[in-house]
Amino acid sequence: METDVNSKHIVVIGGGPGGYPAAFHAADLGMQVTLIDDAPNPGGVCLYRGCIPSKALLHAAAFINEASEIAEWGITVSKPQIDLDKLRARKEAVIAKLTGGLGQLTKQRKITYLQGRARFADPKTLTVTMSDGTTQTLTFDAAIIATGSQPIHLPFAPDSPRVLDSTTALDLADIPASMLLVGGGYIGLELGQVYASLGSRVTVVEMMPALLPGADAALVRVLAAKLKKQFEAIHLKTRVAALDETPEGIAVRFEGKHEGSETFDKILVAVGRRPDAGNVGLENTGVVVDEKGFITVDAQRRTAEPAIYAIGDVAGQPMLAHKATYEGKVAAEAIAGMKTVYDPKAIPGVVFTDPEIAWCGLTEAEAKAAGRDVKVTSFPWAASGRATTLGRSDGVTRLVLDPTDNHRVLGVGMAGPGAGELIAEGTLAIEMGAVADDLAWTIHPHPTLSETVMEAAESAMGHSIHYTR
Ligand code: FAD
Ligand code: NAD
């Protein structure tokens, strides 16, 4: 017979945006919950050393850039003076406020929070090494592994304070005169833009033919045009072959399209993240890990061990906070015995640079690779009244539509300020099975950037008000 939900004890290992929502939802569903993380409060990578601190710094970076651009409007602002200690303190205050709030919510839900590190002793028992050095043993009806991911390091990089990963880059120890970003993905471009705005001469080296290789090339072009002005150099199809510490900095040898050597004050290695599945004693359970190190899960996020679930970065791509949260809710409901499934039709991705790049669903390149016939329609922000009032005519909104199914929306992408906010409409459209006509005949407020979604849809029907091909 099924155990009554209220008597179920569930343990969540890891307090990031996967783990804490799973714990909160399980508690809201009536289960007894223990949440384990080594930080004083929940938050995980996202709040302590990921999404939140990077976005706080990007906010400051955007202000610095706007201050220089506003001269075109007849407003002259003197060059911003940067108090690095104050900026760092502000970022820390944001983290403290949000993680402290999560601590409060944990208490309010009567969740037992254990500050420590957990390991499975067997499929039904966990040993927790508490941060005060003591040990606790826990049994559970179900456990959720939400241990996240770690930055990938370059094996040949010297162990030097000049070689940063995302965590140490966010510490903002100083503003180096020159910085090399190894990897032109999410982290490299977001943090690279922060350092460039603060005054570093930033170079990026990316081994693929384009920045942000997974994103729609037409969106990346808009960002790349801006980065070409902000960054010292962008080297594509190029790898770092060697890194050596010298008294002047880190000497870098490039190979590929851009051959040669150059010395940088600091290097930010941002070549991806790997799942953190190795520290929880999985060898004492039947949990299976794939060749890339991700824990294998089913559609309810259950592992090969029936009472153990896995969510978030440790359970597969994309390594995004909102995907982790969604999975956390699914796992909690599955454990509660509810009918639930992880089956999102679209997961938005947002690069919070200026301009922002945001997309969800199918991209044009993915459709092409799959040999799928799609209709792609673009609305240039040069034709948007709101974009012009903001001085941001460089943006674009794109729809990927199914020409054989009433122009059903398969993918949405945007480049421009606020794209990260606007993309939610696209995700909803795909989840709800909307067709272009639905977007075209939804009244969007004027003047807003959201009208670009409506007009891109109108364009697909051949009658965009403000844009003719
Ligand atoms: P995590 O957030 O990694 O949390 C895992 C937690 O488990 C950690 O606190 C860890 O210490 C703890 N843990 C590990 N092992 C144990 C153990 N044995 N016992 C107890 N605790 C343990 N995503 C976005 O969607 N938007 C963004 O803007 C964004 N920006 C990012 C910026 C940066 C610089 C980085 C690095 C990442 C960013 N991400 C962003 C990715 C996002 O942070 C991750 O996808 C998200 O944090 C994954 O959540 P998670 O719950 O799976 O794990
Ligand atoms: P990433 O996968 O986004 O980018 C890594 C880049 O490095 C890729 O473009 C890859 O081709 C390149 N690369 C790999 N090895 C290289 C080498 N030897 N030389 C040159 N280039 C190389 O990874 P990331 O930027 O480290 O971020 C990790 C993950 O964290 C992201 O994939 C994302 O899931 C998450 N994240 C999300 C956000 C956000 O949502 N805004 C922000 C930061 C991080």
Side-chain angles (χ1 to χ4, degrees):
M1 209 180 76
E2 269 286 298
T3 320
D4 171 36
V5 163
N6 298 307
S7 64
K8 274 191 181 167
H9 177 215
I10 123 166
V11 179
V12 182
I13 308 166
Y20 82 76
F24 288 8
H25 198 46
D28 292 344
L29 293 171
M31 292 182 265
Q32 298 162 40
V33 182
T34 301
L35 175 59
I36 308 166
D37 193 287
D38 43 17
N41 283 306
V45 167
C46 180
L47 278 90
Y48 284 101
R49 47 193 180 277
C51 329
I52 295 298
S54 57
K55 266 78 259 181
L57 295 180
L58 278 160
H59 173 68
F63 182 83
I64 295 170
N65 294 334
E66 276 183 23
S68 69
E69 285 162 8
I70 202 76
E72 289 172 21
W73 297 74
I75 299 165
T76 313
V77 181
S78 53
K79 192 170 183 295
Q81 299 297 306
I82 295 152
D83 180 336
L84 205 57
D85 291 335
K86 226 167 166 176
L87 178 58
R88 200 183 302 113
R90 176 73 191 209
K91 175 205 64 165
E92 292 300 327
V94 170
I95 296 171
K97 185 173 181 345
L98 293 175
T99 55
L102 291 178
Q104 289 294 327
L105 291 170
T106 304
K107 285 195 190 99
Q108 280 164 12
R109 286 182 162 87
K110 306 203 181 338
I111 292 169
T112 304
Y113 187 75
L114 300 182
Q115 191 183 345
R117 288 193 87 74
R119 274 184 78 79
F120 289 100
D122 62 51
K124 281 278 168 196
T125 318
L126 274 168
T127 307
V128 185
T129 307
M130 303 289 286
S131 50
D132 62 9
T134 60
T135 306
Q136 287 199 20
T137 301
L138 297 178
T139 55
F140 52 84
D141 294 301
I144 300 178
I145 304 171
T147 48
S149 62
Q150 297 275 351
I152 294 175
H153 296 290
L154 291 176
F156 53 84
D159 185 12
S160 159
R162 290 183 185 274
V163 179
L164 308 177
D165 61 17
S166 57
T167 306
T168 46
L170 285 166
D171 288 345
L172 220 59
D174 58 12
I175 304 169
S178 63
M179 180 181 242
L180 175 70
L181 316 171
V182 186
Y186 280 88
I187 292 177
L189 299 187
E190 287 186 0
L191 295 185
Q193 213 173 38
V194 167
Y195 276 93
S197 305
L198 293 176
S200 297
R201 279 179 284 109
V202 172
T203 296
V204 56
V205 52
E206 165 59 52
M207 66 182 188
M208 301 297 281
L211 299 172
L212 293 165
D216 181 344
L219 306 180
V220 177
R221 255 197 304 278
V222 180
L223 173 60
K226 179 110 181 188
L227 293 180
K228 271 186 196 142
K229 292 183 200 146
Q230 286 181 327
F231 287 1
E232 192 74 2
I234 299 173
H235 304 311
L236 301 175
K237 293 190 192 165
T238 304
R239 275 172 178 272
V240 168
L243 294 172
D244 290 299
E245 187 156 26
T246 69
E248 291 76 40
I250 302 285
V252 180
R253 187 159 58 79
F254 297 108
E255 65 180 25
K257 191 169 177 225
H258 177 81
E259 299 275 343
S261 297
E262 205 177 330
T263 297
F264 296 87
D265 282 346
K266 290 210 166 160
I267 311 282
L268 167 57
V269 179
V271 294
R273 296 179 65 84
R274 59 170 179 78
D276 200 358
N279 70 37
V280 254
L282 294 185
E283 62 283 8
N284 302 321
T285 71
V287 173
V288 174
V289 172
D290 72 15
E291 69 287 352
K292 290 191 171 148
F294 291 109
I295 295 177
T296 306
V297 290
D298 69 11
Q300 294 189 316
R301 310 290 93 173
R302 191 184 290 101
T303 69
E305 189 69 67
I308 303 179
Y309 293 67
I311 59 171
D313 283 8
V314 78
Q317 297 281 6
M319 291 192 181
L320 297 173
H322 38 281
K323 172 260 191 186
T325 300
Y326 187 106
E327 290 178 300
K329 292 191 290 187
V330 168
E333 296 199 352
I335 293 166
M338 297 165 70
K339 277 194 179 166
T340 183
V341 69
Y342 175 82
D343 186 24
K345 294 193 173 39
I347 301 174
V350 181
V351 187
F352 289 88
T353 42
D354 176 25
E356 290 180 353
I357 302 285
W359 70 98
C360 64
L362 194 70
T363 65
E364 189 177 9
E366 285 166 351
K368 204 171 172 188
R372 182 166 183 179
D373 186 26
V374 290
K375 177 166 180 173
V376 179
T377 164
S378 288
F379 183 80
W381 286 20
S384 154
R386 184 60 178 140
T388 309
T389 66
L390 297 170
R392 298 306 303 265
S393 302
D394 53 339
V396 66
T397 296
R398 285 163 64 81
L399 302 179
V400 178
L401 305 167
D402 187 345
T404 64
D405 185 18
N406 228 3
H407 289 115
R408 197 164 305 280
V409 184
L410 303 174
V412 180
M414 294 155 190
E421 303 289 340
L422 296 171
I423 197 64
E425 178 179 2
T427 317
L428 183 66
I430 296 171
E431 281 292 344
M432 302 296 286
V435 295
D437 239 8
D438 294 322
L439 296 178
W441 285 100
T442 297
I443 298 180
H444 287 67
H446 178 74
T448 65
L449 297 171
S450 73
E451 289 169 295
T452 66
V453 178
M454 176 179 72
E455 295 229 27
E458 285 178 351
S459 192
M461 319 311 290
H463 53 74
S464 165
I465 300 291
H466 295 100
Y467 179 54
T468 51
R469 275 162 203 278

